[in-house]
Amino acid sequence: MSDPRPLEEEAYDMSGARLALTLCVTKAREGSEADLDALERMFQQLGFESTMKRDPTAQQFQEELEKFQQAMDAREDFVSCAFVVLMAHGVEGRLKGEDEQMVELESLFKVLNNKNCQALKAKPKVYIVQACRGEQRDPGETVGRDDIVMIAKDSPQTIPTYTDTLHVYSTVEGYIAYRNDKEGSCFIQTLVDVFTERRGPILELLTEVTRRMAEAELVQEGKARKVNPEIQSTLRKRLYLQK
């Protein structure tokens, strides 16, 4: 028997500090500065304390994130939310540092989980990853019908290690991410536009980002290409960014 009761719309408390860390390899990634400028504008508008580090080595990706975690846990005020933006060349599951060495995304994600970062326990953690996840290119497909499946479960009294996290990738597994030499990446620019122009829970905003990117025509090497982000969420509540 179906349950006709509406879902309770509990939202994360966003009244405390909002923190953002951006780690961006600009070397051989033309257009990165346009993305950094757009992100800075977005974080300022959304009330985030933003830190940006350019051209980290693979080891520095890890070290900067650990410093970010330690500084957060040392704070005496209440932290509401953290954004981590990672921009680099990459392959599935790994990013390439400025030194051409690789760092595992999983080891970066672990730093802020509910076990390792007390300040963010049960608080929203958003990772935005602008990087290739392989070499495949998508020419696009004719539109059929849309199927969306949503699964919800009651929150237990204890909390799993990996909840309250949102991973937003610029492209789906195995595929290339695109960047314009002057205007920046389609993904970051679209995300900033939507996050600064629209109001609503973050998953709805990301659906709008996906819609805009899916409609956009990219031309690469003279051929039309399609690209869309991929969103992986373990958020337990609605997350609103606009104050």
Side-chain angles (χ1 to χ4, degrees):
M1 187 174 165
S2 63
D3 185 347
R5 290 176 302 169
L7 280 172
E8 291 178 28
E9 294 189 11
E10 189 179 0
Y12 288 105
D13 180 354
M14 291 292 283
S15 62
R18 302 161 175 228
L19 308 176
L21 174 67
T22 301
L23 301 174
C24 177
V25 175
T26 63
K27 184 176 161 186
R29 294 184 69 255
E30 291 78 9
S32 299
E33 291 297 336
D35 285 345
L36 288 171
D37 289 346
L39 286 165
E40 193 63 66
R41 187 179 80 245
M42 177 183 84
F43 287 133
Q44 193 170 0
Q45 182 176 320
L46 297 176
F48 279 76
E49 296 173 35
S50 169
T51 303
M52 293 194 168
K53 302 283 182 183
R54 287 171 172 78
D55 297 317
T57 62
Q59 189 176 343
Q60 284 168 341
F61 266 103
Q62 191 76 35
E63 289 171 353
E64 290 295 341
L65 204 52
E66 287 171 2
K67 274 200 275 185
F68 186 59
Q69 173 260 315
Q70 289 157 9
M72 234 180 308
D73 279 345
R75 288 175 75 117
E76 293 183 4
D77 60 338
F78 162 64
V79 177
S80 280
C81 170
F83 266 58
V84 175
V85 184
L86 306 170
M87 298 196 285
H89 289 298
V91 294
E92 179 56 26
R94 292 184 294 164
L95 295 180
K96 189 184 285 187
E98 188 270 343
D99 56 350
E100 302 286 311
Q101 298 300 304
M102 290 291 195
V103 61
E104 298 286 333
L105 276 171
E106 198 51 50
S107 69
L108 299 179
F109 296 158
K110 277 182 182 172
V111 176
L112 300 185
N113 70 24
N114 289 327
K115 179 180 179 181
N116 295 327
C117 184
Q118 294 304 301
L120 286 175
K121 186 181 278 190
K123 313 279 183 55
K125 302 159 272 284
V126 178
Y127 290 91
I128 295 168
V129 184
Q130 164 61 36
C132 291
R133 300 178 71 189
E135 296 294 328
Q136 296 183 67
R137 293 160 173 81
D138 184 2
E141 299 290 341
T142 307
V143 175
R145 64 193 183 91
D146 248 351
D147 289 319
I148 297 172
V149 178
M150 191 170 78
I151 301 165
K153 291 189 176 177
D154 293 335
S155 298
Q157 292 308 300
T158 55
I159 192 168
T161 306
Y162 294 97
T163 59
D164 307 286
T165 305
L166 190 59
H167 297 99
V168 188
Y169 296 93
S170 56
T171 187
V172 295
E173 184 175 337
Y175 282 80
I176 275 180
Y178 295 101
R179 226 176 334 98
N180 181 286
D181 291 356
K182 295 183 179 59
E183 294 168 8
S185 60
C186 177
F187 169 62
I188 294 292
Q189 298 296 326
T190 305
L191 182 137
V192 167
D193 284 349
V194 172
F195 279 19
T196 53
E197 293 167 8
R198 307 300 274 283
R199 291 176 182 270
I202 195 168
L203 289 174
E204 289 184 17
L205 297 181
L206 288 168
T207 300
E208 173 65 9
V209 172
T210 304
R211 184 192 68 76
R212 291 189 189 187
M213 286 186 66
E215 286 185 359
E217 284 288 350
L218 300 176
V219 177
Q220 190 239 3
E221 295 163 353
K223 294 179 181 174
R225 301 293 187 195
K226 287 288 187 177
V227 65
N228 62 275
E230 182 174 1
I231 298 133
Q232 299 170 359
S233 172
T234 57
L235 295 181
R236 295 175 301 114
K237 305 176 186 180
R238 293 192 168 207
L239 173 56
Y240 292 90
L241 298 177
Q242 292 281 9
K243 292 203 166 185

